[in-house]
Amino acid sequence: MITIGKHPEMSHEELQAYWEHANQTYPHKTGTVDITFDGDYAELSYDFDPVPFQRIRRVTGYLTGTVDRWNDAKRAELADRVKHTEV
């Protein structure tokens, strides 16, 4: 859920409308919204929380996240692979 701090220049209804807009636009995000004013215009700046992810590799045709359940032969195959670096 996205949160919006209290703003002295805005009514509760206006803050509620910005909150609903942010949560409808980004339904699966969490974070905060900063509202700044330039005359009659409001600018919304979103600061989303980082999303955790798990690295997945393709080794010998299988997609895997961790190698903790692999047998010794699979681990040896992984160790023998040539790792390429970015240029």
Side-chain angles (χ1 to χ4, degrees), residues 50-61:
V51 178
F53 68 95
Q54 180 183 18
R55 178 180 175 186
I56 295 182
R57 316 177 216 199
R58 183 173 179 261
V59 180
T60 66

Side-chain angles (χ1 to χ4, degrees), residues 1-2 12 15 26-27 31 33 43-44 51 60-61 72-73 75 84:
M1 179 176 355
I2 298 173
H12 175 72
L15 280 172
Y26 304 103
V33 177
E43 181 178 330
L44 305 178
V51 178
T60 66
D72 292 338
R75 289 178 194 226
H84 302 280

Side-chain angles (χ1 to χ4, degrees):
M1 179 176 355
I2 298 173
T3 59
I4 297 178
K6 293 184 179 182
H7 205 287
E9 301 174 21
M10 298 174 64
S11 67
H12 175 72
E13 292 79 19
E14 191 173 4
L15 280 172
Q16 182 71 22
Y18 282 120
W19 179 83
E20 288 174 4
H21 171 75
N23 283 297
Q24 287 175 0
T25 305
Y26 304 103
H28 302 292
K29 301 270 189 177
T30 58
T32 59
V33 177
D34 184 35
I35 303 172
T36 56
F37 291 99
D38 182 16
D40 291 337
Y41 298 98
E43 181 178 330
L44 305 178
S45 300
Y46 297 94
D47 183 24
F48 296 125
D49 296 336
V51 178
F53 68 95
Q54 180 183 18
R55 178 180 175 186
I56 295 182
R57 316 177 216 199
R58 183 173 179 261
V59 180
T60 66
Y62 296 98
L63 294 176
T64 183
T66 62
V67 297
D68 58 340
R69 296 181 59 192
W70 285 11
N71 62 26
D72 292 338
K74 275 273 197 210
R75 289 178 194 226
E77 183 180 338
L78 178 63
D80 292 342
R81 293 188 68 178
V82 175
K83 294 189 169 82
H84 302 280
T85 58
E86 291 184 34
V87 178

